[in-house]
């Protein structure tokens, strides 16, 4: 069983994070499988990113003990954000349950975000002695404003679906997030103008994305080697 499933239906790619026993927490194989799935969406008109089981993605798997070159591992994770931003098709995040840490960053990287009524978002990295790595330092202030972004990152408090909608983190809160995501994906025109619209809208937003990602790598490398961080601290 792979940690990410890809299904293509009527021109729409449905990508499922598939580690339900770990609430789809991020591990190296999930990152590799997610990038591979995104690479196989070339002939689709839209992509829906969702999670199997009880959560969208509960963040980094703290039972995983990081091995090997830290920079290479962090940059590999960041490639998910790059790929979400640069593939031509619009990407819809269908979030239910937890979207925590890296999971919230995956949602931020998408073009549209739908939330189930039980969705919960949080950026707890600072409270865990870690650093954001998925361009949250660039995207979050643009979406919710600098002061609220600092509140979310510095306090790390959880935000329910309704509050996330009020903040602008999600487009809508819906009873059946997966069916609504399918409906929105089918409504996206299968026309080159869709790709051009995505590129035009992201041109200004992403102009400083690479600088933000590199700064996040630098900070992640510092925090990962400081005592007291949560990464790899659990057996």
């Amino acid at each position: 069983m792979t940690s990410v499933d890809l299904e293509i239906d009527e021109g729409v790619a449905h990508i499922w994070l598939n580690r339900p026993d770990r609430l789809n927490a991020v591990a190296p194989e999930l990152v590799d499988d997610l990038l591979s799935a995104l690479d196989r969406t070339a002939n689709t008109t839209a992509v829906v990113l969702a999670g199997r089981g009880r959560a969208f993605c509960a963040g980094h798997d703290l039972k995983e003990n990081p091995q090997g070159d830290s920079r290479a591992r962090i940059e590999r994770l960041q490639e998910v954000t790059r790929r979400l931003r640069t593939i031509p098709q619009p990407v819809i995040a269908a979030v239910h349950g937890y979207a925590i840490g890296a999971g919230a960053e995956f949602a931020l990287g998408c073009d549209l975000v739908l939330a189930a009524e039980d969705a919960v978002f949080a950026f707890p990295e600072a409270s865990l002695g870690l650093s954001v790595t998925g361009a949250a330092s660039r995207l979050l202030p643009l979406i919710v404003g600098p002061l609220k972004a600092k509140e979310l990152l510095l306090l790390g408090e959880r935000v329910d679906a309704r509050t996330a909608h009020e903040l602008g983190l999600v487009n809508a809160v819906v009873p059946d997030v997966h069916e609504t995501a399918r409906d929105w994906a089918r409504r996206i025109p299968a026309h080159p103008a869709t790709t051009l619209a995505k590129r035009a809208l992201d041109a200004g937003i992403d102009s400083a994305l690479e600088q933000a990602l590199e700064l996040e790598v630098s900070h992640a490398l510092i925090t990962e080697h400081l005592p007291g961080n949560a990464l790899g601290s659990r057996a």
Side-chain angles (χ1 to χ4, degrees):
M1 182 176 69
T2 62
S3 60
V4 174
D5 291 337
L6 171 64
E7 301 169 353
I8 298 177
D9 180 33
E10 296 181 359
V12 176
H14 299 270
I15 296 177
W16 296 89
L17 306 181
N18 189 35
R19 299 185 73 216
D21 57 319
R22 298 295 300 152
L23 299 180
N24 299 316
V26 174
E29 64 269 21
L30 182 139
V31 173
D32 289 342
D33 290 345
L34 177 52
L35 290 171
S36 176
L38 288 168
D39 283 343
R40 290 181 281 139
T41 63
N43 296 318
T44 62
T45 58
V47 177
V48 175
L49 178 62
R52 295 202 187 280
R54 295 184 293 117
F56 177 73
C57 175
H60 286 287
D61 193 334
L62 298 180
K63 287 190 175 181
E64 293 278 331
N65 189 16
Q67 302 292 329
D69 179 62
S70 295
R71 172 174 281 275
R73 175 172 44 79
I74 295 165
E75 289 181 343
R76 184 68 171 165
L77 175 60
Q78 289 185 327
E79 188 61 27
V80 173
T81 299
R82 289 191 181 90
R83 205 72 57 85
L84 290 170
R85 308 295 292 178
T86 58
I87 65 172
Q89 309 93 318
V91 184
I92 303 171
V95 178
H96 76 288
Y98 292 126
I100 307 294
E105 292 164 7
F106 286 171
L108 278 183
C110 295
D111 301 293
L112 299 166
V113 183
L114 295 171
E117 293 170 350
D118 68 346
V120 177
F121 297 81
F123 301 86
E125 287 88 345
S127 63
L128 297 172
L130 302 170
S131 174
V132 296
T133 55
S137 62
R138 170 63 177 165
L139 297 175
L140 191 60
L142 289 173
I143 293 171
V144 304
L147 288 178
K148 183 56 69 171
K150 288 180 181 179
E151 179 183 332
L152 292 172
L153 292 178
L154 297 178
L155 300 183
E157 294 177 349
R158 295 182 176 183
V159 174
D160 63 26
R162 295 295 172 184
T163 305
H165 184 235
E166 292 171 2
L167 293 174
L169 276 172
V170 305
N171 293 90
V173 180
V174 296
D176 189 335
V177 70
H178 301 302
E179 185 55 41
T180 303
R182 291 187 186 96
D183 177 60
W184 281 34
R186 294 188 190 107
R187 289 162 55 192
I188 292 173
H191 193 281
T194 300
T195 296
L196 295 177
K198 173 175 174 172
R199 287 180 180 172
L201 289 167
D202 284 344
I205 295 172
D206 292 350
S207 60
L209 196 71
E210 286 302 320
Q211 296 94 312
L213 289 169
E214 177 55 34
L215 184 61
E216 288 178 355
V217 170
S218 300
H219 289 178
L221 291 172
I222 293 170
T223 57
E224 186 170 307
H225 294 94
L226 289 175
N229 76 66
L231 201 60
S233 64
R234 299 182 185 180

